[in-house]
Amino acid sequence: MATTAFATTTSTVVGLGSSSLSSSTARTSKRLSLSSGFLRSPVAAGNPLRLEGANGGKFMCSFQRDWLRRDLNVIGFGLIGWLAPSSIPAIDGKSLSGLFFESIGTELAHFPTPPALTSQFWLWLVTWHLGLFICLTFGQIGFKGRTEDYFEK
């Protein structure tokens, strides 16, 4: 009884992207028409960048090209703003800049050989440059924030 009910109820199952195209129709038509049971109207397959009114097929981006907004004032003031405090003799009577430049000189004395991993050069290099990049980053935020009124109410 169950097999007869199964045999008598033959229906087609329509899924996404089902199409009733023959091979001759697919060759002659430029646009492929897909139909689905989930969509109300047939969907035309095509390149979304080549639609009419889509800037002639060109890809248009709304990303601001000058995103860095580079300004030499920030670089100059940031470098001066880092050289001044790093030149204060605070580490055993020596400054961070002095220790870093002195370690460059001692490492250049045996030039073809690279600095050892236990050399103080690496500590001064990382510390000096980390301070410089932090100073430049805050300088960029502060300078551009003031010129573009970010901090106003």
Side-chain angles (χ1 to χ4, degrees):
M1 179 104 166
T3 58
T4 58
F6 178 71
T8 58
T9 58
T10 58
S11 64
T12 58
V13 177
V14 179
L16 287 175
S18 65
S19 164
S20 60
L21 292 175
S22 66
S23 62
S24 63
T25 316
R27 289 184 197 139
T28 58
S29 66
K30 289 185 179 181
R31 302 197 100 176
L32 179 67
S33 178
L34 300 175
S35 64
S36 171
F38 298 105
L39 298 174
R40 294 185 185 167
S41 63
V43 178
N47 187 352
L49 296 176
R50 298 203 182 231
L51 297 175
E52 288 80 17
N55 298 320
K58 293 182 196 172
F59 179 71
M60 299 301 290
C61 183
S62 62
F63 184 74
Q64 185 178 1
R65 289 194 184 269
D66 189 25
W67 62 272
L68 183 60
R69 290 176 279 165
R70 182 184 55 181
D71 192 0
L72 296 178
N73 290 329
V74 174
I75 295 171
F77 288 130
L79 184 62
I80 292 170
W82 175 240
L83 278 176
S86 69
S87 296
I88 297 172
I91 306 169
D92 293 331
K94 296 182 178 180
S95 66
L96 179 61
S97 293
L99 289 169
F100 176 51
F101 297 141
E102 181 182 321
S103 69
I104 291 173
T106 59
E107 294 301 328
L108 283 176
H110 55 85
F111 168 64
T113 315
L117 290 177
T118 57
S119 174
Q120 287 287 316
F121 167 76
W122 298 112
L123 174 67
W124 306 135
L125 175 101
V126 169
T127 307
W128 194 87
H129 281 92
L130 185 68
L132 175 68
F133 295 149
I134 288 172
C135 197
L136 288 174
T137 301
F138 285 141
Q140 178 80 356
I141 292 170
F143 192 84
K144 290 299 177 181
R146 267 189 112 178
T147 57
E148 295 178 8
D149 297 331
Y150 285 148
F151 306 121
E152 301 245 341
K153 289 185 179 183

